[in-house]
Amino acid sequence: MRSGLAAEAGKLTDLFRQPSLQEQFDQAGRQLLLVLGMELIHRRPKVPSV
């Protein structure tokens, strides 16, 4: 299906290419860091307002 979409996309062909293994690994790492960061922020103790 990707090859058919890429053939019809003209200048936007790169949008439909299969990401490389390195790109998939990098994306998974970014998503993991995002989730861990959000979890750390969520669990941070709230500072009472004075």
Side-chain angles (χ1 to χ4, degrees), residues 2 5-6 9-19 23:
R2 281 182 188 260
L5 291 171
K11 293 181 181 179
L12 302 175
T13 301
D14 285 343
L15 292 176
F16 299 101
R17 71 176 174 77
Q18 183 69 26
E23 290 171 326

Side-chain angles (χ1 to χ4, degrees), residues 26-45:
D26 292 345
Q27 182 64 25
R30 283 190 293 272
Q31 290 175 354
L32 176 61
L33 288 175
L34 174 66
V35 169
L36 291 175
M38 295 300 286
E39 186 65 25
L40 288 172
I41 289 171
H42 179 70
R43 290 184 177 212
R44 186 171 52 187

